[in-house]
Structures are given as structure tokens and as C-alpha cells.
Amino acid sequence: MSFPVDAIVPQLNAALSSGRAALLVAEPGAGKTTRVPLLLLDQPWLDGRKIVMLEPRRLAARAAARRMAETLGEDVGGTVGYAVRLDRKISARTRIEVVTEGILTRRLQTDPELSGVGLVIFDEFHERSLDGDFGLALTLDIQRGLRDDLRILVMSATLDAARVAAHLGDAPVIDAPGRVFPVETRYLERAQRQTIAADAARAVHHALSETGKSLLVFLPGEAEIRRTERALDASVLPEGTTVHPLFGAMGFAAQEAAIRPAQGGAGDHDRRDQPHHRWHRRGDRHRLQARSALRSSLRHDGTRNHPRVAGFRRPAPRPGREAWTGRLLPSLARGRDARTGAA
């Protein structure tokens, strides 16, 4: 199976062969997360060394490693492995390591030369966190002071490419198209708002009455997900429909269950990045998820309707206190529109 990003790999390979850094701007659905590392693995300039790829979220890191391992017909921990907080599947055979921000930072501190690593990939760089930016700064410092043979690749779908390229020493910017499907945007009538959970439950019931496929519901955070879950569990859902929350603080087993396709059904409902919530009608037609962030490399099979309620939650300082609070902000049009219709 080919992906849109496959067409630009020769250009990307040439940029990394002749230079030390590159920036890949690929639309959602292009296949950059699970295709690029595999297609660069055997290039001569890598000289048999490892690829370390940074994923901002644990769920996405494990899913990306699993998908690449499946492409190779292997189990995770063979050619492709991952390392996240409290979970690690890497062996002596592993050449592609998918890691999260904290893991990368610790590795850079304990192994300042990144021994045996030929390429560091910063995926989904538009997420922009302190750990991610710090990791890139340390990697650039290592490249300029200790490892002039180390390559750096920054990948994103929604990013100010010119500014990031300048930080990478005027690195070449390579664009890749995505795989976009037709999308119809509809708005429910504005009801008197009581709670986000009540609005979400109303949107879910409306969508379930119209679709034979799965649902993907976006919510700001874990609290809203839990409240919506309780509201839906207390309501009358179609027979066979179940609800699965999905967010970063959940256990690994629960997260895996949440992103697993519904068995024997026509579709599912999933969520993407941060806190999520998922519903599916196992063996039938519905799965629903909700998540608080839309900015991850996860993709979900079988989803048809994607209700979105409220915006997203971002940490914000509380004046006069040594504490942070979750601030609810409206959805960012740029990031939202970039993902509309993505595969």
C-alpha cells in the first residue's frame, strides 16, 4: 500500500544525504509517521545506525511502533521498538526507537553523543512543549559540537516552516500532500447550555441516529470525558453500544482497548491525542470516542461522524499562586482545518 509521502522520500533522502537537517511539512494522512522512518532505514548515509523518533504522546508512540512493526511483518521489539514512561519494548535488534519527550531528554543527558544513532526525528513538532523544544536544542548542540554526522528531521502538519527551518540552519523544507476525503460540516441548533457533558451527549445521540459507522467525539479533557461517559451510560444507547474513555492518565491496557477496532462491526469510534473517550457498538455499528486534543499521529478506522464539543484545555498560571489551572480555549482554526477530511 502506497502513501502520499512515498513520492517525496527521494527528495527527503537527498536533503539528508547532502545536509544535516531537513523539515518535512506533510498534511494529515500523508503517512509521515509510519512510512518515513522505514523508508530511510537502509539509506547509505545512515550507515546502519539507529533512528530515534520523538512522539509527544505515549499512546501515539506505541501505536506508531506497532504499525511499523506490522508493516515489516514483525512483533514490536524487533526492528522497531518503543520506550515510554513505565513501558519499554526494545531489543538488541531494534533500529527504529519511538520514544516520548522525557525518555529522549534523559537519553541526551546520559549519552551526550547519542552513540549509534544516525537520525533523530521530531514528529508532530507543532505540539510545541518545553520538553520537545529542549530536546531539539540539545540535539542541535550535540550535532554542532560532537556529531557532525548526526541528522535531524523535523516533521509536522501545521507549522511555521520558515521559522523552524531558520533554527535548523536554513534547512530545506519539503512539502508532502495528504490524503483527504470529502467532509460535510453541520451544526446542531444552539440549545440552552447546561454542561459540556449534556451538550456532548445530545450530539452523540443525534449522530447515532444518522450513521451506521463509528463516532469520534472530541472533548477538552479528562473531566469532561468522564462526565460525558456517565451521561451517556445513564441514557438509552443503541443495543450493543459501549463507551470507552481514552486519555493519557489511563492504564496501557485500557488505552489499547480504546483504540482497538470494534469486532465484527462496520466501524468504530475513536479518539486521538490527549484525553479521549471512546464508544463502540461491538459486533454492530457504533463506537464513540472523545478526546481533548486533535493533534496526534493516531488514525482510527471506521469512523464516520466526529462530533466536537467546546474547545481544548491548556495549562495556564494562576496569578499570585504557585499553581496552574486548566484553561478552556476555543479550537484553533488552523489546526482544526488542517485535519478536516484527513485519512
Side-chain angles (χ1 to χ4, degrees):
M1 182 178 180
S2 62
F3 287 81
V5 77
D6 294 358
I8 58 86
V9 167
Q11 183 182 358
L12 179 60
N13 180 51
L16 292 172
S17 177
S18 59
R20 299 194 298 174
L23 177 60
L24 174 60
V25 179
E27 296 175 1
K32 61 183 180 299
T33 298
T34 57
R35 294 292 294 169
V36 168
L38 294 176
L39 295 173
L40 295 178
L41 188 59
D42 295 322
Q43 297 302 327
W45 52 264
L46 195 57
D47 195 25
R49 290 170 296 190
K50 291 183 179 183
I51 295 175
V52 173
M53 181 166 72
L54 174 71
E55 284 293 336
R57 310 195 182 282
R58 290 178 294 168
L59 181 63
R62 293 197 303 270
R66 184 185 308 109
R67 177 58 181 165
M68 286 189 281
E70 289 174 354
T71 300
L72 298 175
E74 300 179 358
D75 293 329
V76 177
T79 302
V80 184
Y82 67 80
V84 301
R85 184 168 60 91
L86 304 178
D87 192 17
R88 173 186 174 93
K89 287 190 177 180
I90 290 175
S91 68
R93 294 179 45 233
T94 302
R95 291 197 56 211
I96 299 176
E97 298 181 14
V98 188
V99 303
T100 46
E101 295 169 339
I103 301 295
L104 177 63
T105 300
R106 286 195 294 273
R107 182 166 183 170
L108 290 168
Q109 292 172 331
T110 58
D111 181 13
E113 293 187 4
L114 285 180
S115 305
V117 177
L119 171 65
V120 180
I121 300 176
F122 292 83
D123 192 24
E124 304 293 343
F125 194 68
H126 58 270
E127 294 243 6
R128 301 304 303 275
S129 68
L130 179 60
D131 285 336
D133 286 4
F134 184 52
L136 178 59
L138 288 178
T139 306
L140 284 168
D141 189 55
I142 291 170
Q143 183 191 64
R144 293 164 182 170
L146 300 172
R147 291 280 312 279
D148 58 2
D149 61 335
L150 181 65
R151 266 68 168 190
I152 298 173
L153 173 61
V154 175
M155 304 195 302
S156 179
T158 56
L159 189 67
D160 187 342
R163 293 181 63 185
V164 176
H167 283 294
L168 295 175
D170 294 323
V173 178
I174 300 167
D175 292 296
R179 182 176 292 167
V180 178
F181 297 89
V183 171
E184 177 188 0
T185 301
R186 288 181 292 168
Y187 298 91
L188 294 180
E189 68 282 0
R190 191 175 187 86
Q192 182 177 1
R193 166 162 286 179
Q194 296 179 345
T195 64
I196 291 176
D199 284 351
R202 183 172 65 94
V204 165
H205 280 283
H206 183 84
L208 286 174
S209 69
E210 295 184 340
T211 183
K213 293 287 186 177
S214 299
L215 304 182
L216 174 60
V217 178
F218 303 97
L219 292 168
E222 179 182 350
E224 290 81 8
I225 286 171
R226 290 300 193 187
R227 292 176 191 133
T228 303
E229 180 185 18
R230 289 194 294 268
L232 285 164
D233 284 342
S235 67
V236 180
L237 293 170
E239 182 182 356
T241 301
T242 57
V243 182
H244 292 264
L246 178 58
F247 48 87
M250 291 176 63
F252 296 146
Q255 289 181 342
E256 295 296 329
I259 65 172
R260 190 180 304 124
Q263 301 299 314
D268 332 331
H269 307 266
D270 293 74
R271 330 161 195 200
R272 295 195 183 180
D273 302 49
Q274 277 185 329
H276 301 35
H277 210 46
R278 156 182 148 192
W279 241 290
H280 69 261
R281 185 165 172 178
R282 196 173 290 279
D284 201 346
R285 64 190 178 106
H286 297 306
R287 177 177 74 190
L288 166 69
Q289 292 180 321
R291 64 175 118 154
S292 65
L294 317 182
R295 300 168 295 175
S296 136
S297 55
L298 276 177
R299 295 293 177 265
H300 303 283
D301 296 331
T303 58
R304 177 62 59 85
N305 286 26
H306 295 181
R308 300 182 182 185
V309 183
F312 67 101
R313 197 171 297 285
R314 173 177 290 175
R318 301 180 67 179
R321 300 186 183 182
E322 295 182 2
W324 289 63
T325 186
R327 183 179 179 187
L328 188 62
L329 300 174
S331 298
L332 297 178
R334 182 182 178 190
R336 180 187 67 236
D337 294 344
R339 284 161 181 76
T340 300

